[in-house]
Amino acid sequence: MSDAYQSPADSPFRHAAEERDRAPQFVLPMVVRIEKAAPPARTDALETAARAVLVILGDARSSGDGEWAEAVRDWQDARIRKVVRRARGAEWRRAGALPGITVTGKSAEVRVFPPVPLDGWPKDLARLQVSGTDLDDPEAPEPADPGVPVLWLNPGLEMSAGKAMAQAGHGAQLAWWELSERERTAWREAGFPLAVRTAAPERWQELTGSGLPLVRDAGFTEIAPGSCTVVADHPALR
């Protein structure tokens, strides 16, 4: 699932049409492992996807003269799109042979890859399915631990797991861009702790007016353009 976002005027996440829409467009590919016999829990998959985005942003290969740095810069110069596909068995093994990083949660595994052109996907990723990524939580998630960054989902929207994973990734990235270098380093060294939870309806209204990073969907899939999907509540941004 792929989308776009809103952030302050000096960040690469502005939602209004502008010059970067005429630049070559790139996408950040992510693949979630979904084996028939043992699919991951939905919330864990969302949290693992969000953490995977942070892991690749914080990787040395994504900055300076790193091997992925040019692709990451090209991606950030255009719309910051993300697409989540699913794989199992041999598909997952082939995806694992491509350059990228696998991030593991409690039950979920997500592999994130350096950005690629919209029409330039590696064939072993391009053939993977996007739709049908439906997951459930066996039990209701526990309340988030105090002090942990929380990516709050809009309680009024229904999204597939793949769509929600992309949205959670957007929220994590918005928070990353708002943090100072010192704050980013501390988050990275702690292992990027975070939680993804659905906000209570009354809390959602408060969050969207709080000034915290807010994701607005571009409307490419599933929901209406401009829908608010995630608020990134990092303690350092309050």
Side-chain angles (χ1 to χ4, degrees):
M1 307 296 167
S2 69
D3 311 275
Y5 356 78
Q6 173 177 298
S7 192
D10 60 349
S11 99
F13 296 90
R14 297 191 295 275
H15 184 72
E18 56 186 59
E19 185 67 27
R20 64 170 34 89
D21 292 311
R22 289 185 285 275
Q25 299 294 304
F26 286 74
V27 62
L28 185 78
M30 292 192 286
V31 175
V32 56
R33 184 179 186 181
I34 302 181
E35 300 289 348
K36 284 186 176 180
R42 180 185 174 97
T43 295
D44 189 41
L46 268 59
E47 292 174 347
T48 305
R51 197 172 296 113
V53 172
L54 294 167
V55 167
I56 198 166
L57 288 172
D59 193 281
R61 290 168 288 185
S62 297
S63 61
D65 295 326
E67 62 183 289
W68 300 339
E70 183 177 0
V72 170
R73 284 194 296 269
D74 288 342
W75 173 54
Q76 293 180 141
D77 283 344
R79 291 294 174 186
I80 315 299
R81 302 188 183 199
K82 300 176 183 71
V83 171
V84 178
R85 297 178 184 261
R86 56 189 170 91
R88 65 174 184 262
E91 296 172 331
W92 175 254
R93 291 190 291 274
R94 285 193 294 268
L98 298 173
I101 305 170
T102 297
V103 178
T104 302
K106 295 176 183 177
S107 60
E109 291 181 79
V110 175
R111 189 163 179 83
V112 60
F113 304 86
V116 297
L118 281 177
D119 58 356
W121 283 68
K123 64 179 182 179
D124 284 333
L125 299 183
R127 64 178 55 151
L128 299 176
Q129 293 292 316
V130 177
S131 61
T133 307
D134 296 318
L135 300 170
D136 296 308
D137 282 315
E139 300 177 354
E142 296 288 334
D145 292 337
V148 170
V150 181
L151 304 173
W152 293 105
L153 301 176
N154 184 339
L157 294 176
E158 292 187 6
M159 295 182 282
S160 68
K163 178 79 169 181
M165 289 170 71
Q167 297 295 313
H170 299 336
Q173 190 165 4
L174 288 175
W176 173 262
W177 275 98
E178 295 296 329
L179 296 174
S180 68
E181 193 60 40
R182 178 182 59 80
E183 291 162 343
R184 291 181 189 177
T185 298
W187 200 9
R188 180 174 59 243
E189 290 181 349
F192 293 120
L194 58 83
V196 178
R197 297 291 185 271
T198 299
E202 62 277 11
R203 173 70 170 143
W204 179 250
Q205 295 302 317
E206 177 186 344
L207 286 165
T208 56
S210 66
L212 290 167
L214 172 64
V215 180
R216 290 186 185 273
D217 190 69
F220 296 132
T221 60
E222 296 193 24
I223 57 179
S227 298
C228 299
T229 58
V230 178
V231 172
D233 184 7
H234 192 292
L237 301 179
R238 294 173 190 160

